[in-house]
Amino acid sequence: MRLRGVIFDVDGTLVDSQADILAAMAGAFEAEGLQAPSCGAVLGIVGLSLDVAIPMLAPTLDHGACTRMVQGYKDAYVGLRRLQGADVSSPLYAGAREALLSLKGQDDVLLGVATGKSRRGLDKLIEAHGLDGVFLTKQVADDHPSKPDPSMILQAMRDLGVEARDTVMIGDTSFDMDMATGAGVSFIGVAWGYHEVARLAGADVVIEDFAQLEGALETVWSKTDV
């Protein structure tokens, strides 16, 4: 049986964590006596590892201040999650659960995650949404260079035992798309995330909702079956 790998981004693709991301980033900046960046600026860096994202948002700060802000963001995010619960603070997008469970039920499809989240954050989110056992490989910022470096996808393929031609990355940002390109895999963009659809112009397919996902996967895989 020929195995297929489907690797998902998390924030902006599976869950809408926008409110907590913006609040945590504002808290990190305010702790340093700085004005918080605009909503657009913050959402523009979602997906990058924090040690890359924060210097992009505050390019004049020294390394020590950026390091404090990274920790400040993490602390604020954990506090928000504890206050509301991860299932409330980062709700699944409509249709996400159904799409994941449908794919998991297919014997030739193996699921994974490639995210800028920490392992602790990802595990808490998966637990809160009752998705334990859905993802056979979980690649996080703790273990890899920041997106768009292809390291996460390359390791996910090794874990799943799938070839690049049989692997699809699904995400909402140009960082996800560039990571997929670097790993030599197909990319399906989602229109509901944090980057404008225009930034996903290089995607193999862009979908408007999760109901279109399985059809998009079949379209992508049909091109590699030749």
Side-chain angles (χ1 to χ4, degrees), residues 25-91:
M25 193 64 75
F29 270 74
E30 289 165 5
E32 291 294 319
L34 301 171
Q35 182 175 350
S38 68
C39 172
V42 175
L43 294 182
I45 55 81
V46 172
L48 297 176
S49 299
L50 287 171
D51 60 345
V52 173
I54 286 179
M56 290 177 65
L57 292 173
T60 62
L61 292 185
D62 61 28
H63 178 72
C66 287
T67 299
R68 290 194 300 273
M69 289 175 69
V70 167
Q71 189 59 50
Y73 176 96
K74 291 180 178 179
D75 292 343
Y77 200 97
V78 168
L80 290 165
R81 186 180 64 209
R82 184 182 300 116
L83 183 65
Q84 302 180 72
D87 56 330
V88 174
S89 65
S90 295

Short mmCIF file of all heavy atoms in Angstrom, two decimals, residues 25-91:
data_model
loop_
_atom_site.label_atom_id
_atom_site.label_comp_id
_atom_site.label_asym_id
_atom_site.label_seq_id
_atom_site.Cartn_x
_atom_site.Cartn_y
_atom_site.Cartn_z
N MET A 25 1.46 38.95 22.77
CA MET A 25 2.49 39.80 22.18
C MET A 25 2.41 41.21 22.76
O MET A 25 3.44 41.84 23.05
CB MET A 25 2.36 39.84 20.67
CG MET A 25 3.57 40.44 19.96
SD MET A 25 5.08 39.45 20.20
CE MET A 25 4.77 38.07 19.10
N ALA A 26 1.20 41.71 22.94
CA ALA A 26 1.03 43.03 23.56
C ALA A 26 1.62 43.04 24.96
O ALA A 26 2.31 44.00 25.36
CB ALA A 26 -0.45 43.41 23.60
N GLY A 27 1.38 41.98 25.72
CA GLY A 27 1.93 41.89 27.07
C GLY A 27 3.44 41.87 27.07
O GLY A 27 4.09 42.51 27.92
N ALA A 28 4.05 41.16 26.12
CA ALA A 28 5.51 41.08 26.05
C ALA A 28 6.10 42.45 25.73
O ALA A 28 7.14 42.84 26.30
CB ALA A 28 5.91 40.07 24.98
N PHE A 29 5.48 43.19 24.85
CA PHE A 29 5.98 44.53 24.49
C PHE A 29 5.78 45.51 25.64
O PHE A 29 6.68 46.31 25.95
CB PHE A 29 5.28 45.03 23.22
CG PHE A 29 5.98 44.65 21.95
CD1 PHE A 29 5.93 43.35 21.48
CD2 PHE A 29 6.72 45.58 21.23
CE1 PHE A 29 6.59 42.98 20.32
CE2 PHE A 29 7.38 45.23 20.07
CZ PHE A 29 7.32 43.93 19.60
N GLU A 30 4.62 45.45 26.25
CA GLU A 30 4.33 46.39 27.35
C GLU A 30 5.27 46.17 28.53
O GLU A 30 5.65 47.12 29.23
CB GLU A 30 2.88 46.25 27.78
CG GLU A 30 1.91 46.79 26.74
CD GLU A 30 0.47 46.35 26.98
OE1 GLU A 30 0.22 45.70 28.02
OE2 GLU A 30 -0.38 46.63 26.12
N ALA A 31 5.69 44.92 28.76
CA ALA A 31 6.62 44.63 29.85
C ALA A 31 7.96 45.30 29.64
O ALA A 31 8.69 45.58 30.60
CB ALA A 31 6.80 43.12 30.00
N GLU A 32 8.30 45.60 28.38
CA GLU A 32 9.54 46.30 28.06
C GLU A 32 9.31 47.80 27.87
O GLU A 32 10.22 48.52 27.44
CB GLU A 32 10.15 45.71 26.79
CG GLU A 32 10.70 44.31 26.95
CD GLU A 32 11.90 44.24 27.88
OE1 GLU A 32 12.76 45.14 27.80
OE2 GLU A 32 11.97 43.30 28.71
N GLY A 33 8.11 48.26 28.18
CA GLY A 33 7.79 49.68 28.03
C GLY A 33 7.63 50.11 26.59
O GLY A 33 7.81 51.29 26.26
N LEU A 34 7.23 49.18 25.73
CA LEU A 34 7.11 49.46 24.30
C LEU A 34 5.66 49.39 23.85
O LEU A 34 4.85 48.67 24.44
CB LEU A 34 7.92 48.44 23.49
CG LEU A 34 9.42 48.37 23.79
CD1 LEU A 34 10.03 47.18 23.07
CD2 LEU A 34 10.10 49.67 23.37
N GLN A 35 5.34 50.13 22.82
CA GLN A 35 4.01 50.06 22.24
C GLN A 35 3.87 48.77 21.46
O GLN A 35 4.77 48.38 20.72
CB GLN A 35 3.77 51.25 21.31
CG GLN A 35 2.37 51.28 20.71
CD GLN A 35 2.12 52.54 19.90
OE1 GLN A 35 2.93 53.47 19.93
NE2 GLN A 35 1.01 52.57 19.19
N ALA A 36 2.75 48.14 21.61
CA ALA A 36 2.53 46.87 20.91
C ALA A 36 2.44 47.09 19.41
O ALA A 36 1.93 48.11 18.95
CB ALA A 36 1.24 46.22 21.41
N PRO A 37 2.92 46.15 18.63
CA PRO A 37 2.79 46.26 17.17
C PRO A 37 1.33 46.15 16.74
O PRO A 37 0.47 45.72 17.51
CB PRO A 37 3.59 45.06 16.63
CG PRO A 37 4.23 44.42 17.80
CD PRO A 37 3.57 44.92 19.03
N SER A 38 1.07 46.53 15.50
CA SER A 38 -0.29 46.45 14.98
C SER A 38 -0.72 44.99 14.83
O SER A 38 0.12 44.08 14.76
CB SER A 38 -0.37 47.13 13.61
OG SER A 38 0.36 46.39 12.65
N CYS A 39 -2.01 44.80 14.76
CA CYS A 39 -2.57 43.46 14.55
C CYS A 39 -1.99 42.84 13.28
O CYS A 39 -1.57 41.69 13.28
CB CYS A 39 -4.09 43.55 14.46
SG CYS A 39 -4.91 42.01 13.99
N GLY A 40 -1.94 43.61 12.22
CA GLY A 40 -1.42 43.09 10.96
C GLY A 40 0.02 42.66 11.05
O GLY A 40 0.42 41.64 10.48
N ALA A 41 0.82 43.45 11.78
CA ALA A 41 2.24 43.12 11.91
C ALA A 41 2.42 41.81 12.69
O ALA A 41 3.25 40.97 12.32
CB ALA A 41 2.99 44.25 12.61
N VAL A 42 1.66 41.63 13.75
CA VAL A 42 1.78 40.41 14.56
C VAL A 42 1.31 39.19 13.79
O VAL A 42 1.99 38.17 13.74
CB VAL A 42 0.99 40.55 15.88
CG1 VAL A 42 1.02 39.23 16.66
CG2 VAL A 42 1.57 41.67 16.74
N LEU A 43 0.16 39.29 13.15
CA LEU A 43 -0.34 38.14 12.39
C LEU A 43 0.56 37.81 11.21
O LEU A 43 0.62 36.67 10.77
CB LEU A 43 -1.77 38.41 11.91
CG LEU A 43 -2.83 38.54 13.01
CD1 LEU A 43 -4.20 38.76 12.41
CD2 LEU A 43 -2.83 37.34 13.94
N GLY A 44 1.29 38.81 10.73
CA GLY A 44 2.20 38.57 9.62
C GLY A 44 3.37 37.68 9.96
O GLY A 44 3.99 37.09 9.06
N ILE A 45 3.70 37.55 11.25
CA ILE A 45 4.84 36.71 11.65
C ILE A 45 4.40 35.40 12.31
O ILE A 45 5.24 34.62 12.74
CB ILE A 45 5.82 37.47 12.59
CG1 ILE A 45 5.10 38.05 13.84
CG2 ILE A 45 6.50 38.60 11.83
CD1 ILE A 45 4.85 37.11 14.95
N VAL A 46 3.09 35.17 12.40
CA VAL A 46 2.61 33.92 13.00
C VAL A 46 3.14 32.74 12.18
O VAL A 46 3.06 32.72 10.96
CB VAL A 46 1.07 33.88 13.05
CG1 VAL A 46 0.59 32.49 13.49
CG2 VAL A 46 0.55 34.93 14.00
N GLY A 47 3.66 31.76 12.89
CA GLY A 47 4.26 30.60 12.24
C GLY A 47 5.75 30.56 12.40
O GLY A 47 6.36 29.49 12.38
N LEU A 48 6.36 31.75 12.54
CA LEU A 48 7.80 31.79 12.80
C LEU A 48 8.07 31.45 14.26
O LEU A 48 7.23 31.71 15.13
CB LEU A 48 8.35 33.19 12.49
CG LEU A 48 8.24 33.68 11.04
CD1 LEU A 48 8.75 35.11 10.95
CD2 LEU A 48 9.01 32.76 10.11
N SER A 49 9.23 30.92 14.54
CA SER A 49 9.63 30.71 15.93
C SER A 49 9.78 32.06 16.61
O SER A 49 10.14 33.06 15.97
CB SER A 49 10.95 29.94 15.99
OG SER A 49 10.81 28.67 15.38
N LEU A 50 9.50 32.12 17.90
CA LEU A 50 9.51 33.39 18.62
C LEU A 50 10.86 34.10 18.57
O LEU A 50 10.92 35.33 18.50
CB LEU A 50 9.10 33.17 20.08
CG LEU A 50 7.62 32.88 20.31
CD1 LEU A 50 7.40 32.46 21.76
CD2 LEU A 50 6.77 34.09 19.96
N ASP A 51 11.96 33.33 18.60
CA ASP A 51 13.26 33.97 18.59
C ASP A 51 13.60 34.60 17.24
O ASP A 51 14.53 35.39 17.13
CB ASP A 51 14.36 32.98 19.00
CG ASP A 51 14.46 31.79 18.07
OD1 ASP A 51 13.52 31.55 17.28
OD2 ASP A 51 15.48 31.07 18.13
N VAL A 52 12.81 34.27 16.23
CA VAL A 52 12.93 34.92 14.93
C VAL A 52 11.88 36.02 14.79
O VAL A 52 12.16 37.11 14.27
CB VAL A 52 12.77 33.89 13.79
CG1 VAL A 52 12.71 34.56 12.43
CG2 VAL A 52 13.91 32.88 13.83
N ALA A 53 10.67 35.75 15.26
CA ALA A 53 9.55 36.67 15.07
C ALA A 53 9.72 37.97 15.85
O ALA A 53 9.49 39.07 15.30
CB ALA A 53 8.25 35.99 15.49
N ILE A 54 10.11 37.89 17.11
CA ILE A 54 10.18 39.10 17.93
C ILE A 54 11.23 40.09 17.43
O ILE A 54 10.95 41.29 17.35
CB ILE A 54 10.35 38.73 19.42
CG1 ILE A 54 9.00 38.20 19.93
CG2 ILE A 54 10.83 39.93 20.24
CD1 ILE A 54 8.98 37.77 21.36
N PRO A 55 12.44 39.66 17.06
CA PRO A 55 13.38 40.63 16.48
C PRO A 55 12.87 41.27 15.19
O PRO A 55 13.23 42.41 14.87
CB PRO A 55 14.63 39.79 16.21
CG PRO A 55 14.56 38.70 17.21
CD PRO A 55 13.10 38.37 17.32
N MET A 56 12.01 40.58 14.45
CA MET A 56 11.42 41.17 13.26
C MET A 56 10.42 42.27 13.63
O MET A 56 10.31 43.29 12.94
CB MET A 56 10.73 40.10 12.42
CG MET A 56 11.68 39.14 11.75
SD MET A 56 10.82 37.82 10.83
CE MET A 56 10.02 38.78 9.54
N LEU A 57 9.71 42.08 14.74
CA LEU A 57 8.74 43.07 15.19
C LEU A 57 9.41 44.23 15.92
O LEU A 57 8.86 45.34 15.95
CB LEU A 57 7.72 42.42 16.13
CG LEU A 57 6.77 41.40 15.49
CD1 LEU A 57 5.94 40.71 16.56
CD2 LEU A 57 5.86 42.07 14.46
N ALA A 58 10.56 43.98 16.50
CA ALA A 58 11.28 45.01 17.27
C ALA A 58 12.76 45.00 16.88
O ALA A 58 13.62 44.58 17.67
CB ALA A 58 11.11 44.75 18.77
N PRO A 59 13.09 45.43 15.67
CA PRO A 59 14.46 45.28 15.14
C PRO A 59 15.52 46.12 15.86
O PRO A 59 16.70 45.84 15.70
CB PRO A 59 14.31 45.73 13.68
CG PRO A 59 13.09 46.59 13.65
CD PRO A 59 12.17 46.02 14.68
N THR A 60 15.09 47.12 16.65
CA THR A 60 16.09 47.96 17.33
C THR A 60 16.48 47.42 18.70
O THR A 60 17.42 47.95 19.32
CB THR A 60 15.55 49.39 17.50
OG1 THR A 60 14.38 49.37 18.31
CG2 THR A 60 15.21 49.99 16.13
N LEU A 61 15.80 46.40 19.19
CA LEU A 61 16.09 45.87 20.52
C LEU A 61 17.32 44.99 20.51
O LEU A 61 17.62 44.32 19.52
CB LEU A 61 14.91 45.06 21.05
CG LEU A 61 13.64 45.84 21.38
CD1 LEU A 61 12.62 44.91 22.00
CD2 LEU A 61 13.92 47.01 22.31
N ASP A 62 18.04 44.98 21.64
CA ASP A 62 19.22 44.12 21.73
C ASP A 62 18.79 42.69 22.06
O ASP A 62 17.62 42.41 22.34
CB ASP A 62 20.22 44.65 22.76
CG ASP A 62 19.66 44.73 24.19
OD1 ASP A 62 18.75 43.93 24.53
OD2 ASP A 62 20.13 45.57 24.97
N HIS A 63 19.76 41.78 22.02
CA HIS A 63 19.47 40.37 22.20
C HIS A 63 18.84 40.08 23.57
O HIS A 63 17.90 39.28 23.67
CB HIS A 63 20.75 39.55 22.05
CG HIS A 63 20.56 38.09 22.26
ND1 HIS A 63 19.90 37.28 21.35
CD2 HIS A 63 20.93 37.27 23.30
CE1 HIS A 63 19.87 36.04 21.80
NE2 HIS A 63 20.48 36.00 22.97
N GLY A 64 19.32 40.75 24.60
CA GLY A 64 18.80 40.51 25.95
C GLY A 64 17.33 40.87 26.06
O GLY A 64 16.53 40.12 26.65
N ALA A 65 16.96 42.02 25.49
CA ALA A 65 15.56 42.44 25.54
C ALA A 65 14.67 41.47 24.75
O ALA A 65 13.58 41.12 25.19
CB ALA A 65 15.43 43.86 24.99
N CYS A 66 15.15 41.04 23.60
CA CYS A 66 14.37 40.08 22.79
C CYS A 66 14.18 38.77 23.53
O CYS A 66 13.10 38.17 23.48
CB CYS A 66 15.07 39.85 21.45
SG CYS A 66 14.93 41.24 20.31
N THR A 67 15.22 38.33 24.22
CA THR A 67 15.12 37.09 24.99
C THR A 67 14.08 37.22 26.09
O THR A 67 13.28 36.30 26.33
CB THR A 67 16.48 36.72 25.59
OG1 THR A 67 17.42 36.53 24.53
CG2 THR A 67 16.40 35.46 26.42
N ARG A 68 14.06 38.37 26.77
CA ARG A 68 13.05 38.60 27.82
C ARG A 68 11.65 38.61 27.22
O ARG A 68 10.70 38.08 27.81
CB ARG A 68 13.31 39.93 28.54
CG ARG A 68 14.55 39.95 29.42
CD ARG A 68 14.55 41.15 30.35
NE ARG A 68 14.53 42.42 29.64
CZ ARG A 68 15.61 43.05 29.20
NH1 ARG A 68 16.82 42.52 29.39
NH2 ARG A 68 15.51 44.21 28.58
N MET A 69 11.52 39.19 26.04
CA MET A 69 10.21 39.27 25.41
C MET A 69 9.71 37.91 24.95
O MET A 69 8.52 37.63 24.99
CB MET A 69 10.25 40.26 24.24
CG MET A 69 10.37 41.70 24.71
SD MET A 69 10.55 42.86 23.34
CE MET A 69 8.93 42.76 22.61
N VAL A 70 10.62 37.07 24.49
CA VAL A 70 10.24 35.71 24.13
C VAL A 70 9.64 35.00 25.34
O VAL A 70 8.57 34.38 25.26
CB VAL A 70 11.44 34.92 23.58
CG1 VAL A 70 11.11 33.43 23.51
CG2 VAL A 70 11.84 35.42 22.20
N GLN A 71 10.33 35.10 26.48
CA GLN A 71 9.82 34.46 27.68
C GLN A 71 8.54 35.13 28.16
O GLN A 71 7.61 34.45 28.64
CB GLN A 71 10.88 34.50 28.79
CG GLN A 71 10.51 33.66 30.01
CD GLN A 71 10.29 32.19 29.65
OE1 GLN A 71 11.11 31.57 28.99
NE2 GLN A 71 9.15 31.64 30.10
N GLY A 72 8.48 36.46 28.03
CA GLY A 72 7.27 37.17 28.43
C GLY A 72 6.07 36.76 27.61
O GLY A 72 4.96 36.59 28.14
N TYR A 73 6.28 36.56 26.32
CA TYR A 73 5.20 36.09 25.46
C TYR A 73 4.74 34.70 25.90
O TYR A 73 3.53 34.45 26.03
CB TYR A 73 5.67 36.05 24.01
CG TYR A 73 4.64 35.48 23.05
CD1 TYR A 73 3.80 36.32 22.34
CD2 TYR A 73 4.51 34.11 22.87
CE1 TYR A 73 2.84 35.80 21.47
CE2 TYR A 73 3.56 33.58 22.02
CZ TYR A 73 2.74 34.43 21.31
OH TYR A 73 1.79 33.91 20.46
N LYS A 74 5.69 33.81 26.13
CA LYS A 74 5.33 32.45 26.55
C LYS A 74 4.54 32.46 27.85
O LYS A 74 3.53 31.75 27.98
CB LYS A 74 6.59 31.60 26.71
CG LYS A 74 7.31 31.28 25.40
CD LYS A 74 8.55 30.45 25.68
CE LYS A 74 9.27 30.07 24.39
NZ LYS A 74 10.50 29.28 24.66
N ASP A 75 5.00 33.25 28.81
CA ASP A 75 4.32 33.30 30.11
C ASP A 75 2.90 33.84 29.96
O ASP A 75 1.95 33.32 30.57
CB ASP A 75 5.11 34.18 31.08
CG ASP A 75 6.44 33.56 31.49
OD1 ASP A 75 6.63 32.34 31.28
OD2 ASP A 75 7.30 34.30 32.00
N ALA A 76 2.75 34.90 29.15
CA ALA A 76 1.43 35.50 28.94
C ALA A 76 0.50 34.52 28.24
O ALA A 76 -0.68 34.40 28.60
CB ALA A 76 1.57 36.79 28.13
N TYR A 77 1.03 33.79 27.26
CA TYR A 77 0.20 32.85 26.50
C TYR A 77 -0.28 31.71 27.41
O TYR A 77 -1.45 31.32 27.36
CB TYR A 77 1.00 32.29 25.33
CG TYR A 77 0.15 31.70 24.23
CD1 TYR A 77 -0.18 32.45 23.10
CD2 TYR A 77 -0.35 30.40 24.31
CE1 TYR A 77 -0.96 31.92 22.09
CE2 TYR A 77 -1.14 29.86 23.32
CZ TYR A 77 -1.43 30.63 22.20
OH TYR A 77 -2.22 30.10 21.22
N VAL A 78 0.63 31.21 28.24
CA VAL A 78 0.26 30.14 29.17
C VAL A 78 -0.82 30.63 30.13
O VAL A 78 -1.78 29.92 30.45
CB VAL A 78 1.49 29.63 29.94
CG1 VAL A 78 1.08 28.74 31.10
CG2 VAL A 78 2.44 28.89 29.00
N GLY A 79 -0.67 31.87 30.60
CA GLY A 79 -1.65 32.43 31.52
C GLY A 79 -3.03 32.55 30.89
O GLY A 79 -4.05 32.24 31.52
N LEU A 80 -3.07 32.99 29.65
CA LEU A 80 -4.35 33.11 28.94
C LEU A 80 -4.98 31.74 28.73
O LEU A 80 -6.20 31.57 28.90
CB LEU A 80 -4.12 33.81 27.60
CG LEU A 80 -3.77 35.29 27.68
CD1 LEU A 80 -3.21 35.78 26.34
CD2 LEU A 80 -4.98 36.12 28.07
N ARG A 81 -4.15 30.78 28.36
CA ARG A 81 -4.66 29.42 28.15
C ARG A 81 -5.20 28.83 29.45
O ARG A 81 -6.24 28.17 29.46
CB ARG A 81 -3.55 28.54 27.59
CG ARG A 81 -4.00 27.14 27.19
CD ARG A 81 -2.82 26.36 26.65
NE ARG A 81 -1.81 26.14 27.67
CZ ARG A 81 -0.51 26.01 27.43
NH1 ARG A 81 -0.05 26.10 26.21
NH2 ARG A 81 0.34 25.80 28.41
N ARG A 82 -4.50 29.08 30.54
CA ARG A 82 -4.94 28.56 31.83
C ARG A 82 -6.25 29.21 32.26
O ARG A 82 -7.12 28.57 32.86
CB ARG A 82 -3.86 28.81 32.89
CG ARG A 82 -4.17 28.22 34.25
CD ARG A 82 -3.08 28.53 35.25
NE ARG A 82 -1.78 28.00 34.86
CZ ARG A 82 -0.70 28.74 34.59
NH1 ARG A 82 -0.79 30.06 34.68
NH2 ARG A 82 0.43 28.18 34.25
N LEU A 83 -6.39 30.49 31.95
CA LEU A 83 -7.58 31.24 32.36
C LEU A 83 -8.83 30.73 31.65
O LEU A 83 -9.90 30.57 32.26
CB LEU A 83 -7.38 32.73 32.05
CG LEU A 83 -8.49 33.67 32.46
CD1 LEU A 83 -8.63 33.70 33.99
CD2 LEU A 83 -8.21 35.08 31.93
N GLN A 84 -8.72 30.43 30.35
CA GLN A 84 -9.89 30.07 29.57
C GLN A 84 -9.99 28.59 29.22
O GLN A 84 -11.08 28.08 28.97
CB GLN A 84 -9.91 30.86 28.25
CG GLN A 84 -9.88 32.36 28.40
CD GLN A 84 -9.91 33.04 27.05
OE1 GLN A 84 -10.93 33.04 26.36
NE2 GLN A 84 -8.79 33.59 26.63
N GLY A 85 -8.84 27.94 29.15
CA GLY A 85 -8.79 26.59 28.60
C GLY A 85 -8.43 26.67 27.13
O GLY A 85 -8.94 27.52 26.40
N ALA A 86 -7.54 25.80 26.68
CA ALA A 86 -7.04 25.87 25.31
C ALA A 86 -8.13 25.67 24.28
O ALA A 86 -8.06 26.23 23.17
CB ALA A 86 -5.93 24.84 25.10
N ASP A 87 -9.16 24.89 24.61
CA ASP A 87 -10.23 24.67 23.63
C ASP A 87 -11.04 25.93 23.39
O ASP A 87 -11.62 26.11 22.31
CB ASP A 87 -11.13 23.53 24.09
CG ASP A 87 -11.73 23.76 25.47
OD1 ASP A 87 -11.08 24.45 26.30
OD2 ASP A 87 -12.83 23.26 25.73
N VAL A 88 -11.07 26.82 24.38
CA VAL A 88 -11.80 28.09 24.24
C VAL A 88 -10.90 29.17 23.67
O VAL A 88 -11.29 29.92 22.77
CB VAL A 88 -12.37 28.55 25.61
CG1 VAL A 88 -13.00 29.93 25.49
CG2 VAL A 88 -13.37 27.54 26.12
N SER A 89 -9.66 29.27 24.18
CA SER A 89 -8.77 30.32 23.72
C SER A 89 -8.25 30.07 22.30
O SER A 89 -7.91 31.01 21.59
CB SER A 89 -7.58 30.47 24.69
OG SER A 89 -6.78 29.30 24.69
N SER A 90 -8.20 28.80 21.88
CA SER A 90 -7.76 28.45 20.52
C SER A 90 -8.75 27.45 19.93
O SER A 90 -8.47 26.27 19.80
CB SER A 90 -6.35 27.85 20.54
OG SER A 90 -5.39 28.78 20.98
N PRO A 91 -9.94 27.93 19.54
CA PRO A 91 -10.97 27.01 19.03
C PRO A 91 -10.60 26.46 17.66
O PRO A 91 -9.94 27.11 16.85
CB PRO A 91 -12.21 27.90 18.96
CG PRO A 91 -11.67 29.28 18.76
CD PRO A 91 -10.41 29.33 19.56
#
